Amino acid sequence: MIGFIKRMWFAWRYKRAVKKAVRMAGMTGLKYYVIYINKGLKVVPKKAVKELVAKHRFKKGVTVADIEKRALFVTR
């Protein structure tokens, strides 16, 4: 029963994050990712991910394409 509630809670948060990503992509024209980071869903523009990769905020060898593959949802 607890597992069911957790899955429903995650599904609700996921749907809200996807709606937010689609809405923001429509307004700005940028590509957005829904990523699971630090036990939560984050909506992040691709531009910010590129900047973080360039500043070496991720492990050595991680590219934007790797992050896009692991993203739960990608706009456009």
Side-chain angles (χ1 to χ4, degrees):
M1 185 66 175
I2 293 174
F4 175 74
I5 293 170
K6 285 183 179 181
R7 286 195 313 268
M8 293 301 290
W9 181 251
F10 182 82
W12 181 74
R13 288 182 15 222
Y14 176 76
K15 284 189 344 187
R16 286 188 63 208
V18 168
K19 283 181 185 178
K20 181 178 179 181
V22 170
R23 186 177 67 242
M24 292 174 70
M27 289 189 319
T28 62
L30 297 174
K31 192 178 226 183
Y32 279 82
Y33 301 141
V34 175
I35 302 173
Y36 188 74
I37 298 176
N38 296 332
K39 298 183 181 180
L41 294 172
K42 304 287 184 213
V43 178
V44 184
K46 183 177 181 179
K47 188 175 184 180
V49 172
K50 279 184 178 180
E51 291 172 0
L52 291 175
V53 169
K55 291 180 181 178
H56 306 290
R57 289 297 187 127
F58 296 100
K59 287 184 178 179
K60 186 176 181 180
V62 173
T63 63
V64 177
D66 296 334
I67 295 170
E68 185 170 350
K69 274 194 276 185
R70 296 202 61 212
L72 300 175
F73 180 79
V74 179
T75 59
R76 286 195 285 149

mmCIF file of all heavy atoms in Angstrom, residues 46-65 67:
data_model
loop_
_atom_site.group_PDB
_atom_site.id
_atom_site.type_symbol
_atom_site.label_atom_id
_atom_site.label_comp_id
_atom_site.label_asym_id
_atom_site.label_seq_id
_atom_site.Cartn_x
_atom_site.Cartn_y
_atom_site.Cartn_z
ATOM 1 N N LYS A 46 18.055 23.605 -21.321
ATOM 2 C CA LYS A 46 19.272 23.016 -21.890
ATOM 3 C C LYS A 46 20.434 23.998 -21.798
ATOM 4 O O LYS A 46 21.578 23.603 -21.582
ATOM 5 C CB LYS A 46 19.027 22.622 -23.343
ATOM 6 C CG LYS A 46 20.219 21.946 -23.983
ATOM 7 C CD LYS A 46 19.908 21.495 -25.395
ATOM 8 C CE LYS A 46 21.121 20.797 -26.000
ATOM 9 N NZ LYS A 46 20.839 20.321 -27.357
ATOM 10 N N LYS A 47 20.142 25.266 -21.922
ATOM 11 C CA LYS A 47 21.178 26.292 -21.860
ATOM 12 C C LYS A 47 21.909 26.260 -20.515
ATOM 13 O O LYS A 47 23.128 26.367 -20.448
ATOM 14 C CB LYS A 47 20.533 27.667 -22.078
ATOM 15 C CG LYS A 47 21.479 28.799 -22.233
ATOM 16 C CD LYS A 47 20.717 30.063 -22.565
ATOM 17 C CE LYS A 47 21.652 31.214 -22.813
ATOM 18 N NZ LYS A 47 20.920 32.444 -23.142
ATOM 19 N N ALA A 48 21.165 26.086 -19.428
ATOM 20 C CA ALA A 48 21.775 26.016 -18.099
ATOM 21 C C ALA A 48 22.613 24.755 -17.955
ATOM 22 O O ALA A 48 23.681 24.779 -17.331
ATOM 23 C CB ALA A 48 20.694 26.060 -17.027
ATOM 24 N N VAL A 49 22.142 23.650 -18.528
ATOM 25 C CA VAL A 49 22.895 22.396 -18.466
ATOM 26 C C VAL A 49 24.214 22.550 -19.210
ATOM 27 O O VAL A 49 25.262 22.100 -18.739
ATOM 28 C CB VAL A 49 22.065 21.230 -19.031
ATOM 29 C CG1 VAL A 49 22.895 19.971 -19.143
ATOM 30 C CG2 VAL A 49 20.848 20.977 -18.169
ATOM 31 N N LYS A 50 24.173 23.198 -20.370
ATOM 32 C CA LYS A 50 25.403 23.437 -21.145
ATOM 33 C C LYS A 50 26.410 24.240 -20.332
ATOM 34 O O LYS A 50 27.607 23.943 -20.326
ATOM 35 C CB LYS A 50 25.090 24.196 -22.434
ATOM 36 C CG LYS A 50 24.580 23.356 -23.544
ATOM 37 C CD LYS A 50 24.413 24.234 -24.784
ATOM 38 C CE LYS A 50 23.952 23.459 -25.967
ATOM 39 N NZ LYS A 50 23.796 24.302 -27.158
ATOM 40 N N GLU A 51 25.935 25.274 -19.641
ATOM 41 C CA GLU A 51 26.824 26.111 -18.839
ATOM 42 C C GLU A 51 27.443 25.314 -17.687
ATOM 43 O O GLU A 51 28.626 25.463 -17.394
ATOM 44 C CB GLU A 51 26.058 27.318 -18.294
ATOM 45 C CG GLU A 51 25.669 28.311 -19.354
ATOM 46 C CD GLU A 51 24.746 29.399 -18.828
ATOM 47 O OE1 GLU A 51 24.405 29.375 -17.623
ATOM 48 O OE2 GLU A 51 24.348 30.255 -19.636
ATOM 49 N N LEU A 52 26.653 24.465 -17.050
ATOM 50 C CA LEU A 52 27.168 23.666 -15.940
ATOM 51 C C LEU A 52 28.194 22.642 -16.419
ATOM 52 O O LEU A 52 29.188 22.397 -15.731
ATOM 53 C CB LEU A 52 26.025 22.965 -15.210
ATOM 54 C CG LEU A 52 25.093 23.876 -14.421
ATOM 55 C CD1 LEU A 52 23.931 23.080 -13.856
ATOM 56 C CD2 LEU A 52 25.842 24.593 -13.313
ATOM 57 N N VAL A 53 27.969 22.058 -17.580
ATOM 58 C CA VAL A 53 28.940 21.105 -18.138
ATOM 59 C C VAL A 53 30.230 21.844 -18.480
ATOM 60 O O VAL A 53 31.333 21.347 -18.224
ATOM 61 C CB VAL A 53 28.359 20.382 -19.365
ATOM 62 C CG1 VAL A 53 29.434 19.609 -20.114
ATOM 63 C CG2 VAL A 53 27.241 19.433 -18.945
ATOM 64 N N ALA A 54 30.109 23.047 -19.036
ATOM 65 C CA ALA A 54 31.296 23.834 -19.391
ATOM 66 C C ALA A 54 32.082 24.246 -18.143
ATOM 67 O O ALA A 54 33.311 24.354 -18.196
ATOM 68 C CB ALA A 54 30.886 25.074 -20.176
ATOM 69 N N LYS A 55 31.391 24.450 -17.026
ATOM 70 C CA LYS A 55 32.064 24.832 -15.778
ATOM 71 C C LYS A 55 32.536 23.618 -14.978
ATOM 72 O O LYS A 55 32.960 23.765 -13.836
ATOM 73 C CB LYS A 55 31.121 25.669 -14.913
ATOM 74 C CG LYS A 55 30.839 27.035 -15.473
ATOM 75 C CD LYS A 55 29.915 27.804 -14.567
ATOM 76 C CE LYS A 55 29.616 29.169 -15.143
ATOM 77 N NZ LYS A 55 28.672 29.913 -14.296
ATOM 78 N N HIS A 56 32.419 22.419 -15.554
ATOM 79 C CA HIS A 56 32.874 21.168 -14.935
ATOM 80 C C HIS A 56 32.147 20.885 -13.624
ATOM 81 O O HIS A 56 32.756 20.451 -12.650
ATOM 82 C CB HIS A 56 34.391 21.185 -14.719
ATOM 83 C CG HIS A 56 35.146 21.476 -15.968
ATOM 84 N ND1 HIS A 56 35.226 20.580 -17.017
ATOM 85 C CD2 HIS A 56 35.838 22.574 -16.379
ATOM 86 C CE1 HIS A 56 35.944 21.105 -17.991
ATOM 87 N NE2 HIS A 56 36.325 22.317 -17.640
ATOM 88 N N ARG A 57 30.838 21.115 -13.573
ATOM 89 C CA ARG A 57 30.045 20.832 -12.382
ATOM 90 C C ARG A 57 29.666 19.355 -12.289
ATOM 91 O O ARG A 57 29.206 18.899 -11.264
ATOM 92 C CB ARG A 57 28.762 21.661 -12.378
ATOM 93 C CG ARG A 57 28.976 23.113 -12.140
ATOM 94 C CD ARG A 57 29.585 23.304 -10.755
ATOM 95 N NE ARG A 57 29.652 24.698 -10.435
ATOM 96 C CZ ARG A 57 29.153 25.215 -9.342
ATOM 97 N NH1 ARG A 57 28.589 24.445 -8.449
ATOM 98 N NH2 ARG A 57 29.247 26.491 -9.126
ATOM 99 N N PHE A 58 29.821 18.626 -13.393
ATOM 100 C CA PHE A 58 29.534 17.204 -13.413
ATOM 101 C C PHE A 58 30.851 16.439 -13.484
ATOM 102 O O PHE A 58 31.915 17.025 -13.671
ATOM 103 C CB PHE A 58 28.663 16.846 -14.623
ATOM 104 C CG PHE A 58 27.312 17.489 -14.592
ATOM 105 C CD1 PHE A 58 27.042 18.624 -15.344
ATOM 106 C CD2 PHE A 58 26.303 16.971 -13.804
ATOM 107 C CE1 PHE A 58 25.798 19.218 -15.319
ATOM 108 C CE2 PHE A 58 25.057 17.551 -13.769
ATOM 109 C CZ PHE A 58 24.802 18.681 -14.522
ATOM 110 N N LYS A 59 30.778 15.113 -13.341
ATOM 111 C CA LYS A 59 31.981 14.302 -13.423
ATOM 112 C C LYS A 59 32.658 14.479 -14.774
ATOM 113 O O LYS A 59 32.014 14.804 -15.771
ATOM 114 C CB LYS A 59 31.635 12.825 -13.233
ATOM 115 C CG LYS A 59 31.281 12.445 -11.836
ATOM 116 C CD LYS A 59 31.059 10.951 -11.752
ATOM 117 C CE LYS A 59 30.737 10.553 -10.335
ATOM 118 N NZ LYS A 59 30.492 9.113 -10.216
ATOM 119 N N LYS A 60 33.944 14.228 -14.805
ATOM 120 C CA LYS A 60 34.718 14.352 -16.027
ATOM 121 C C LYS A 60 34.161 13.388 -17.077
ATOM 122 O O LYS A 60 33.927 12.211 -16.788
ATOM 123 C CB LYS A 60 36.175 14.015 -15.741
ATOM 124 C CG LYS A 60 37.094 14.254 -16.900
ATOM 125 C CD LYS A 60 38.527 13.995 -16.503
ATOM 126 C CE LYS A 60 39.463 14.265 -17.655
ATOM 127 N NZ LYS A 60 40.848 14.015 -17.270
ATOM 128 N N GLY A 61 33.945 13.888 -18.267
ATOM 129 C CA GLY A 61 33.462 13.064 -19.360
ATOM 130 C C GLY A 61 31.962 13.136 -19.588
ATOM 131 O O GLY A 61 31.473 12.629 -20.593
ATOM 132 N N VAL A 62 31.209 13.758 -18.678
ATOM 133 C CA VAL A 62 29.760 13.871 -18.852
ATOM 134 C C VAL A 62 29.463 14.966 -19.865
ATOM 135 O O VAL A 62 30.022 16.055 -19.795
ATOM 136 C CB VAL A 62 29.069 14.182 -17.509
ATOM 137 C CG1 VAL A 62 27.601 14.459 -17.707
ATOM 138 C CG2 VAL A 62 29.268 13.041 -16.542
ATOM 139 N N THR A 63 28.602 14.654 -20.830
ATOM 140 C CA THR A 63 28.225 15.635 -21.848
ATOM 141 C C THR A 63 26.738 15.951 -21.723
ATOM 142 O O THR A 63 26.003 15.293 -20.998
ATOM 143 C CB THR A 63 28.513 15.088 -23.253
ATOM 144 O OG1 THR A 63 27.696 13.935 -23.471
ATOM 145 C CG2 THR A 63 29.976 14.729 -23.433
ATOM 146 N N VAL A 64 26.318 16.949 -22.479
ATOM 147 C CA VAL A 64 24.913 17.326 -22.497
ATOM 148 C C VAL A 64 24.077 16.177 -23.063
ATOM 149 O O VAL A 64 22.958 15.925 -22.607
ATOM 150 C CB VAL A 64 24.709 18.618 -23.317
ATOM 151 C CG1 VAL A 64 23.239 18.976 -23.396
ATOM 152 C CG2 VAL A 64 25.498 19.765 -22.707
ATOM 153 N N ALA A 65 24.623 15.455 -24.021
ATOM 154 C CA ALA A 65 23.905 14.320 -24.603
ATOM 155 C C ALA A 65 23.658 13.224 -23.564
ATOM 156 O O ALA A 65 22.598 12.594 -23.560
ATOM 157 C CB ALA A 65 24.684 13.759 -25.780
ATOM 158 N N ILE A 67 23.252 13.691 -20.349
ATOM 159 C CA ILE A 67 22.198 14.186 -19.464
ATOM 160 C C ILE A 67 20.847 14.105 -20.168
ATOM 161 O O ILE A 67 19.846 13.746 -19.561
ATOM 162 C CB ILE A 67 22.527 15.624 -19.006
ATOM 163 C CG1 ILE A 67 23.785 15.594 -18.144
ATOM 164 C CG2 ILE A 67 21.359 16.234 -18.247
ATOM 165 C CD1 ILE A 67 24.359 16.930 -17.826
#
